[in-house]
């Protein structure tokens, strides 16, 4: 191994005095993964900031400009762009106003002041490193440098991003509604935003699925150590993409993981002793309040019959055409929102209460997880900061202990308040599609309950939230806390209803996760390994097909035609027989997988789960005593036969064969190269594509598998596999724009390079010294 001036070859977490030399060394291994070795936290931030900018310079600066409310300075303020999380087009002026309202300089300053010295150093270093590349010679494809909006990154941009990410499924989904809210006597937006669509859309993005699993010593092959699997299903597009880092500062931190673009700390990953994954929770964390308006003044509202004034919050947006002024309206609960189903009228107004607006602990929470050396330390860190915004945490450590918890942030709505305060009008429908409660804000007792034990006023305290430690297996796949393992004696019950349902059917991914764990622990390896878990993952088994397809095929053979309005009698023989011949997997060679996917889309689903059919379809109903085996079977009727006919029609209309191998009709193109993609939008190996246009296949990947690690946590250190499905760089001219995507297409993960020996053996190119 070559000698370096920065540090000795060992990077074990031991005390080490500061050594002369560069602030950081950056070494790259396959697929553009940067391994940053530094003597200080600030140096680690600097090395990672430099490496990250080389992958995502343009996308990150554009994100910083948007969150700072500066788009209208460079673009037509009336022009629109599509905000994926807000569910539609928003004008630059409205976007700027909403972000200036939600992420004001005063809050950014407060976050920075409350941050630890390690966080301040990490952010300062990250910005220095990022700007070091931003002011150096351009790499191919960095055309944004000539754009008027291009500028250096600021520390405030990173802190603002830390405030923004917790809002992704709450306030960030309603920026159009906040901007549209105006007193009924004033000028309302010509077309109010579709709040129902916005909230359901962000639900699809965030609940698009995530898997995490952890095995303790009784569940790992060989019975030594633990195993961590992380598989969040983030968006494949935009600035919410993930990026991989490896930061090493002897005596301080040594962590490998994935994070949201622009953050200098991992949100999921592993260190030399513990690993963790995150999954979206079932909490109804935010609240929409329906409030009676004071008839004398539409900017006042009634609580227990007493009139209260709204607080007007004026915002000035600097634009290329002068100053544009907007006013936001605050109630005791939160800002007023206005949408098609939530209009501000002389009788009624709606306010949005979001606990994430005061979650200033998000960054410190995940930095603490990155440093934790055991699952017990992870539990302590989660309770100390209570800043995980919308995530379960599933973890394992090298001592052989596994862990699951939902210690996320949510408004403290008690069961009694749910009984007393739920509204009965149209707004109640929002609860079927989003993580919100809809309560009567004109009753004073319907505000969030204050518990002195809570880390933040108005949230459910950590003491009232679920967690469990296991020695064999625990997991989460977006269902609630109720079933954290396959042991029916270790269920988690008795928690507030707003945290999630108990004694209810589980989604497909939860059921297949338990099935995979059981099969592996009973298999030839007698426990999990990175290799056998990878094999299970890419086996692409479609559990829903296993549960219902026999009945579907039996029915369509017995009833080979169905009368469809506008089409008359439709013959079902062809789709019936191709489904009968399907291998019930979502592999690239599996025929009819796309037909089954579109068929399921025509059926009714249970809200708030990754995927589960409504009870009316199940021949054998759900039994809480057998949550993996039930429900099962399928009840067919004319409507389900019409669904099959519709699925075949939709594929035929898109000029796609109903029995085509999945890889022929589901793929991405990268620089002119077609990459077949396995998986489906309902399975454990999950990928969601937009519906195809005529003459085109499923080629627009929206959300799904993103960062992945499958790591054995051993006394000798972590060993395992990892991937970032859409690759490290968003720059099409980067060599790392599609390299890991090609690996994903081939059904493989990459070897983790964590130890100094492994990094040295796999290093690609020179070592970069960052001063």
């Amino acid at each position: 191994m070559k000698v370096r001036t920065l540090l000795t070859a060992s990077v074990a977490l031991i005390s080490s005095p500061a050594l002369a030399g560069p602030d950081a060394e950056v070494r790259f291994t396959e697929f553009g993964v940067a391994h940053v070795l530094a003597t200080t936290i600030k140096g680690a931030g600097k090395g990672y900031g430099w490496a990250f900018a080389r992958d995502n310079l343009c996308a990150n600066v554009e994100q910083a400009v948007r969150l700072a409310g500066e788009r209208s300075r460079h673009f037509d303020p009336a022009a629109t762009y599509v905000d994926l999380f807000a569910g539609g087009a928003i004008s630059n002026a409205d976007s700027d106003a909403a972000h200036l309202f939600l992420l004001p300089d005063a809050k950014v300053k407060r976050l920075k002041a409350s941050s630890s010295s390690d966080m301040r150093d990490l952010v300062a270093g990250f910005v220095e490193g990022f700007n070091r590349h931003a002011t150096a010679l351009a790499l191919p494809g960095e055309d944004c440098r000539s754009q008027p909006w291009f500028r250096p990154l600021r520390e405030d941009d990173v802190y603002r991003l830390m405030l923004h990410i917790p809002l992704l499924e709450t306030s960030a989904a309603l920026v159009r509604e906040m901007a549209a809210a105006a007193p009924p006597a004033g000028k309302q937006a010509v077309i109010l935003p579709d709040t129902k669509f916005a909230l359901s859309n962000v639900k699809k993005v965030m609940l698009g699925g995530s898997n995490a699993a952890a095995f303790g010593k009784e569940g790992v092959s060989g019975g030594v150590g633990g195993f961590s699997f992380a598989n969040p299903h983030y968006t494949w597009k935009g600035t919410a993409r993930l990026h991989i880092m490896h930061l090493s500062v002897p005596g301080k931190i040594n962590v490998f993981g994935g994070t949201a673009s622009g953050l200098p700390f991992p949100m999921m990953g592993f260190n030399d002793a513990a690993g963790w994954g995150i999954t979206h929770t079932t909490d109804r964390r935010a609240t929409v309040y329906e409030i009676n308006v004071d008839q004398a003044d539409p900017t006042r509202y009634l609580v227990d019959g007493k009139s209260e004034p709204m607080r007007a919050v004026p915002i000035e947006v600097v634009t290329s055409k002068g100053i544009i002024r907007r006013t936001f309206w605050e109630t005791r609960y939160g800002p007023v929102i206005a949408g098609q189903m939530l209009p501000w009228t002389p009788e009624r107004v709606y306010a949005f209460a979001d606990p994430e607006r005061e979650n200033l602990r998000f960054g410190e929470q995940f930095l603490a997880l990155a440093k934790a050396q055991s699952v017990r330390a992870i539990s302590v860190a989660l309770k100390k900061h209570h800043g995980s915004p919308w995530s379960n945490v599933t973890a394992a450590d090298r001592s052989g202990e596994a862990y699951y918890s939902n210690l996320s942030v949510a408004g403290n709505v008690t069961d009694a308040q749910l009984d007393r305060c739920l509204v009965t009008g149209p707004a109640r429908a929002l609860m079927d599609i989003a993580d919100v409660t809809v309560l009567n804000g004109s009753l004073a007792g319907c505000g969030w309950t204050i518990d002195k034990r809570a880390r933040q006023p108005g949230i459910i305290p950590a003491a009232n939230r679920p967690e469990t430690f296991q020695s064999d297996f625990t997991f989460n796949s977006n269902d609630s806390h109720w079933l954290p393992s396959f042991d029916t004696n270790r269920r988690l019950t008795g928690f507030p209803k707003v945290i999630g349902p108990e004694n209810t059917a589980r989604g497909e991914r939860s059921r297949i996760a338990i099935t995979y764990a059981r099969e592996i622990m009973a298999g030839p390896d007698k426990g999990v390994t990175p290799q056998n878990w990878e094999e299970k993952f890419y086996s692409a088994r479609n559990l829903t097909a296993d549960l219902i397809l026999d009945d579907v095929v039996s029915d369509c053979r017995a009833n080979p035609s169905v009368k469809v309005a506008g089409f008359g009698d439709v013959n079902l023989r062809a789709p019936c027989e191709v489904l009968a011949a399907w291998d019930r997997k979502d592999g690239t060679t599996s025929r009819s997988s796309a037909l089954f996917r579109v068929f399921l889309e025509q059926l009714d689903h249970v809200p708030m789960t990754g995927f589960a059919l409504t009870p009316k379809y199940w021949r054998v109903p759900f039994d809480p005593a057998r949550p993996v085996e039930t429900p099962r079977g399928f009840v067919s009727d004319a409507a389900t036969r019409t669904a099959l006919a519709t699925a075949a029609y939709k594929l035929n209309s898109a000029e796609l064969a109903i029995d085509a191998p999945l890889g022929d009709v589901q793929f991405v193109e990268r620089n002119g190269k077609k990459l077949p993609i396995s998986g489906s939008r309902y399975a454990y190996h999950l990928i969601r594509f937009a519906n195809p246009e005529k003459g085109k296949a499923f080629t627009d990947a929206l959300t799904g598998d993103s960062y992945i690690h499958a790591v054995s946590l051993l006394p000798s250190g972590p060993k395992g596999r990892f991937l970032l499905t859409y690759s490290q760089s968003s720059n099409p001219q980067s060599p790392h724009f599609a390299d890991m995507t090609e690996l994903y297409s081939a059904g493989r993960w990459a070897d983790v390079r964590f130890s100094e020996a492994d990094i040295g053996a796999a290093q690609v190119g020179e070592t970069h010294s960052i001063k």
Side-chain angles (χ1 to χ4, degrees):
M1 181 180 296
K2 60 184 178 181
V3 177
R4 302 189 308 278
T5 59
L6 178 65
L7 296 172
T8 60
S10 173
V11 291
L13 293 183
I14 58 173
S15 298
S16 175
L19 301 178
D23 293 330
E25 286 183 351
V26 181
R27 294 161 291 163
F28 290 96
T29 53
E30 314 99 315
F31 311 109
V33 175
H35 303 263
V36 181
L37 184 59
T39 55
T40 65
I41 290 288
K42 184 175 182 180
K46 186 180 293 187
Y48 178 60
W50 174 81
F52 171 76
R54 290 166 59 90
D55 285 331
N56 296 289
L57 177 71
C58 296
N60 201 66
V61 172
E62 187 171 1
Q63 170 178 257
V65 168
R66 175 173 59 87
L67 297 185
E70 298 174 354
R71 284 185 63 87
S72 297
R73 300 184 185 195
H74 312 289
F75 303 101
D76 181 351
T80 62
Y81 72 96
V82 174
D83 186 326
L84 177 67
F85 283 90
I90 184 171
S91 74
N92 291 316
D94 284 349
S95 170
D96 288 341
H99 286 109
L100 289 169
F101 170 69
L102 287 171
L103 309 170
D105 290 343
K107 184 172 283 188
V108 172
K109 184 177 180 180
R110 185 154 58 99
L111 172 60
K112 185 175 182 178
S114 66
S115 294
S116 65
S117 58
D118 276 355
M119 182 61 77
R120 291 195 297 271
D121 286 347
L122 192 61
V123 171
F126 180 83
V127 171
E128 284 186 40
F130 187 95
N131 289 336
R132 172 173 173 152
H133 174 68
T135 56
L137 290 175
L139 294 175
E142 293 181 343
D143 299 335
C144 65
R145 290 171 181 257
S146 63
Q147 296 297 316
W149 50 264
F150 185 81
R151 63 165 173 78
L153 195 67
R154 307 162 187 154
E155 288 187 24
D156 281 3
D157 293 324
V158 181
Y159 288 109
R160 191 171 286 109
L161 180 61
M162 284 189 221
L163 293 171
H164 174 69
I165 286 179
L167 305 178
L168 283 179
E169 69 155 72
T170 50
S171 290
L174 297 175
V175 291
R176 297 185 304 159
E177 281 74 7
M178 293 177 194
K187 184 181 179 181
Q188 291 267 357
V190 176
I191 301 177
L192 288 173
D194 186 346
T195 308
K196 185 175 181 180
F197 175 79
L199 287 174
S200 63
N201 183 72
V202 77
K203 183 69 177 177
K204 290 176 183 176
V205 172
M206 299 300 290
L207 188 61
S210 290
N211 301 313
F215 291 78
K217 57 188 176 184
E218 294 178 19
V220 299
S221 182
V224 176
F227 176 89
S228 172
F229 175 65
N231 176 213
H233 298 154
Y234 276 63
T235 174
W236 275 47
K237 293 183 170 185
T239 51
R241 285 168 45 119
L242 302 179
H243 192 261
I244 290 177
M245 62 169 68
H246 182 191
L247 308 181
S248 297
V249 181
K252 297 285 284 186
I253 195 169
N254 186 12
V255 65
F256 183 111
T259 196
S261 290
L263 292 179
F265 50 82
M267 292 175 62
M268 66 290 292
F270 54 91
N271 54 41
D272 57 337
W276 80 99
I278 61 175
T279 56
H280 179 276
T281 74
T282 53
D283 286 77
R284 297 186 185 276
R285 65 193 71 261
T287 303
V288 174
Y289 280 99
E290 183 176 276
I291 319 171
N292 294 330
V293 172
D294 187 335
Q295 295 298 298
D297 183 348
T299 65
R300 299 180 69 89
Y301 59 99
L302 303 176
V303 180
D304 282 353
K306 296 179 180 179
S307 180
E308 294 185 9
M310 296 179 188
R311 182 172 66 91
V313 182
I315 297 292
E316 291 189 348
V317 178
V318 178
T319 83
S320 57
K321 299 179 179 181
I323 300 293
I324 291 178
R325 292 174 173 83
R326 293 278 191 271
T327 300
F328 293 79
W329 298 90
E330 287 270 18
T331 69
R332 63 157 65 183
Y333 305 109
V336 174
I337 56 175
Q340 293 176 22
M341 67 182 302
L342 305 175
W344 185 350
T345 70
E347 293 77 31
R348 188 168 289 117
V349 70
Y350 295 87
F352 189 66
D354 182 1
E356 304 296 355
R357 288 184 68 188
E358 288 303 313
N359 181 5
L360 307 187
R361 307 170 306 282
F362 160 71
E364 298 291 349
Q365 179 68 85
F366 282 96
L367 185 57
L369 296 186
K371 295 177 180 179
Q373 295 288 290
S374 69
V375 298
R376 297 285 170 168
I378 285 174
S379 172
V380 169
L382 286 166
K383 293 169 184 173
K384 175 184 177 181
H385 296 284
H386 201 175
S388 177
W390 22 254
S391 297
N392 303 286
V393 171
T394 306
D397 63 30
R398 65 185 173 191
S399 75
E401 192 164 30
Y403 172 75
Y404 159 79
S405 71
N406 175 359
L407 288 165
S408 61
V409 174
N412 192 8
V413 178
T414 67
D415 291 356
Q417 286 177 306
L418 281 178
D419 292 338
R420 184 176 69 253
C421 299
L422 285 178
V423 302
T424 57
R428 175 79 172 267
L430 288 176
M431 292 181 60
D432 290 335
I433 60 170
D435 292 338
V436 298
T437 51
V438 184
L439 305 183
N440 185 348
S442 284
L443 295 178
C446 297
W448 292 339
T449 297
I450 302 297
D451 189 317
K452 293 181 179 179
R453 298 173 298 169
R455 186 69 172 77
Q456 173 186 320
I459 66 172
I460 301 171
N464 289 0
R465 301 195 66 94
E467 74 172 349
T468 184
F469 298 88
Q470 309 278 1
S471 58
D472 48 10
F473 169 73
T474 189
F475 79 105
N476 186 264
S477 287
N478 300 123
D479 279 314
S480 72
H481 56 275
W482 174 65
L483 187 69
S485 185
F486 39 57
D487 188 334
T488 57
N489 294 319
R490 288 183 288 185
R491 295 175 182 171
L492 299 174
T493 60
F495 293 92
K497 291 178 182 178
V498 294
I499 292 178
E502 298 172 0
N503 294 297
T504 57
R506 305 289 92 177
E508 176 183 284
R509 286 180 292 106
S510 294
R511 296 170 72 180
I512 197 69
I514 290 179
T515 301
Y516 284 164
R518 284 173 171 170
E519 291 174 351
I520 279 176
M521 291 170 66
D525 294 325
K526 301 301 180 185
V528 72
T529 68
Q531 292 72 28
N532 63 30
W533 195 253
E534 180 178 356
E535 290 170 5
K536 286 292 185 185
F537 181 88
Y538 280 122
S539 70
R541 180 176 171 184
N542 192 306
L543 180 63
T544 302
D546 288 345
L547 294 170
I548 73 170
L549 194 57
D550 285 342
D551 287 344
V552 172
V553 170
S554 293
D555 178 77
C556 60
R557 281 175 169 168
N559 301 279
S561 69
V562 63
K563 190 177 293 295
V564 179
F567 290 89
D569 288 330
V570 176
N571 194 310
L572 298 177
R573 287 188 176 87
C576 188
E577 293 309 316
V578 299
L579 284 178
W582 176 36
D583 64 6
R584 306 185 184 193
K585 296 180 179 180
D586 298 307
T588 54
T589 60
S590 298
R591 295 179 177 273
S592 308
S593 172
L595 175 63
F596 189 71
R597 166 212 156 155
V598 181
F599 167 63
L600 290 183
E601 288 173 354
Q602 313 311 308
L603 305 178
D604 295 329
H605 306 163
V606 176
M608 316 306 283
T609 65
F611 175 73
L613 295 171
T614 55
K616 67 181 180 181
Y617 296 116
W618 296 110
R619 178 167 48 80
V620 178
F622 171 67
D623 178 357
R626 306 181 69 220
V628 180
E629 295 78 15
T630 63
R632 67 177 186 272
F634 193 71
V635 177
S636 299
D637 58 18
T640 65
R641 292 170 208 131
T642 299
L644 181 56
T646 302
Y649 172 77
K650 287 190 171 186
L651 289 180
N652 287 331
S653 297
E655 299 178 356
L656 301 175
I658 61 174
D659 63 343
L662 183 60
D664 288 359
V665 297
Q666 181 172 283
F667 55 87
V668 295
E669 292 188 81
R670 295 292 183 266
N671 294 330
K673 186 175 182 179
K674 175 180 171 181
L675 301 175
I677 302 294
S678 58
S680 78
R681 65 185 307 167
Y682 302 120
Y684 200 72
H685 171 17
L686 186 146
I687 184 75
R688 290 176 181 264
F689 281 80
N691 290 326
E693 300 174 15
K694 186 173 182 178
K696 296 183 179 180
F698 296 89
T699 60
D700 185 10
L702 301 176
T703 61
D705 300 328
S706 52
Y707 170 82
I708 296 170
H709 77 234
V711 175
S712 295
L713 299 153
L714 303 169
S716 59
K719 298 288 184 182
R721 308 276 280 169
F722 81 98
L723 197 70
L724 185 63
T725 57
Y726 37 67
S727 305
Q728 285 280 77
S729 179
S730 57
N731 178 356
Q733 295 191 46
S734 167
H736 306 300
F737 175 65
D739 50 358
M740 278 194 272
T741 312
E742 293 188 20
L743 204 63
Y744 182 62
S745 174
R748 293 188 292 123
W749 298 336
D751 288 327
V752 166
R753 311 298 186 186
F754 189 84
S755 70
E756 276 295 291
D758 286 346
I759 295 168
Q763 183 171 343
V764 176
E766 63 181 312
T767 297
H768 301 268
S769 297
I770 308 299
K771 284 282 191 179

